[in-house]
Amino acid sequence: MEFVRSLCVFITFLGCLISSAHGQAAARRPGPISGTRIGFYLTTCPTAEIIVRNAVRAGFNSDPRIAPGILRMHFHDCFVLGCDGSVLISGSNTERTAVPNLNLRGFEVIDNAKTQLEATCPGVVSCADILALAARDTVVLTRGLGWQVPTGRRDGRVSVASNANNLPGPRDSVAVQQQKFSAVGLNTRDLVVLAGGHTIGTAGCGVFRDRLFNNTDPNVNQLFLTQLQTQCPQNGDGAVRVDLDTGSGTTFDNSYFINLSRGRGVLESDHVLWTDPATRPIVQQLMSPRGNFNAEFARSMVRMSNIGVVTGANGEIRRVCSAVN
């Protein structure tokens, strides 16, 4: 008992306390706390990563749009109370109902993987780990390079929509993005590298259309601006989607950064990474083949995936990912 009591004090000090009530606000503050390790399930569920990989592949073969969807889902999970699978919980007033999360895609893939894992290794693999593994697998399926994912996260019990209000947004300046990344223990390089996840996926016209008209920014490519205006007319359908990485929206590569250097950033938050002197040198490095974007992305993903993780006696292993036990 004394050991457990001391462990709880230590975990509390690190900021990992979590409320046991589904609807309560969380006490812990996200941060780069790592209690995970490579091969966590090697003896308890040796086929865990294979099962997740196969579920992601099946989902991708059915609908390739789940690749950017799951990658974005993992990002949104980690930036809200840490990487604890809270974004997966369904119900009224959960994170899934928050405006930034309304278009998240791929929940059924995570659920499918969980169902198979519960049949093979019941009560062992957390939903938070499934999401972290699936995010890596989507990068591989879109021709990016994989990496070893540390596992051992447990699932959180709190999911409240208002906690998602401060996610990095499509209109954020570099300074605002830096503040939001710093708040969870990530630096400016992580910010730029992880923004490179926009090399796959799309955005709805309604998200960025306000910057397409009366735009006098000389750094915006005017031919590209005209193209976007055609795709997203002022009174058009805001649900029409546009590739975030023009010309390479389904391939995980560094062309996103090349597009930024040519004034072809779709979102304002992407465009400013080139125009702001704090981030432009990093974009320039990642544009180059020698910048090794894939390796940089892997390192920053591991850092992000260890934000505020719940481990040990904290949290739980959900039986289904969409509901607390």
Side-chain angles (χ1 to χ4, degrees), residues 12 31 33 73 77 80 101 107-108 170 189 221 243 249 254 286 295:
T12 302
I33 302 162
M73 189 191 302
D77 183 42
V80 179
N101 293 333
F107 291 102
E108 71 284 357
R189 189 169 194 86
N221 183 299
D243 283 345
N254 73 337
L286 297 171

Side-chain angles (χ1 to χ4, degrees), residues 37-41 45-56 117 125 133 136-137 147-151:
R37 68 175 189 269
I38 302 297
F40 183 84
Y41 298 112
C45 191
T47 59
E49 294 199 25
I50 295 171
I51 290 171
V52 173
R53 186 180 307 124
N54 289 341
V56 174
L117 285 164
V125 182
L133 291 166
R136 183 270 313 275
D137 295 338
W147 62 90
Q148 288 187 303
V149 176
T151 45

Side-chain angles (χ1 to χ4, degrees), residues 120-192:
T120 306
C121 316
V124 174
V125 182
S126 69
C127 299
D129 275 344
I130 294 171
L131 182 52
L133 291 166
R136 183 270 313 275
D137 295 338
T138 64
V139 170
V140 174
L141 286 168
T142 50
R143 291 183 276 177
L145 297 181
W147 62 90
Q148 288 187 303
V149 176
T151 45
R153 301 164 190 80
R154 291 176 73 83
D155 297 320
R157 301 186 182 97
V158 174
S159 184
V160 180
S162 60
N163 288 335
N165 288 342
N166 204 38
L167 282 165
R171 298 175 181 84
D172 287 350
S173 66
V174 166
V176 170
Q177 293 182 70
Q178 286 175 315
Q179 183 276 323
K180 291 179 179 179
F181 274 70
S182 177
V184 295
L186 299 178
N187 59 33
T188 300
R189 189 169 194 86
D190 293 318
L191 186 169
V192 179

Side-chain angles (χ1 to χ4, degrees), residues 273-312:
L273 298 180
W274 177 254
T275 59
D276 193 299
T279 48
R280 183 169 182 158
I282 304 173
V283 174
Q284 288 174 318
Q285 292 171 21
L286 297 171
M287 286 167 51
S288 166
R290 286 181 291 182
N292 206 351
F293 166 56
N294 270 275
E296 291 268 3
F297 190 79
R299 279 191 289 268
S300 288
M301 282 293 286
V302 170
R303 281 171 54 80
M304 185 191 78
S305 71
N306 276 318
I307 294 172
V309 296
V310 182
T311 58

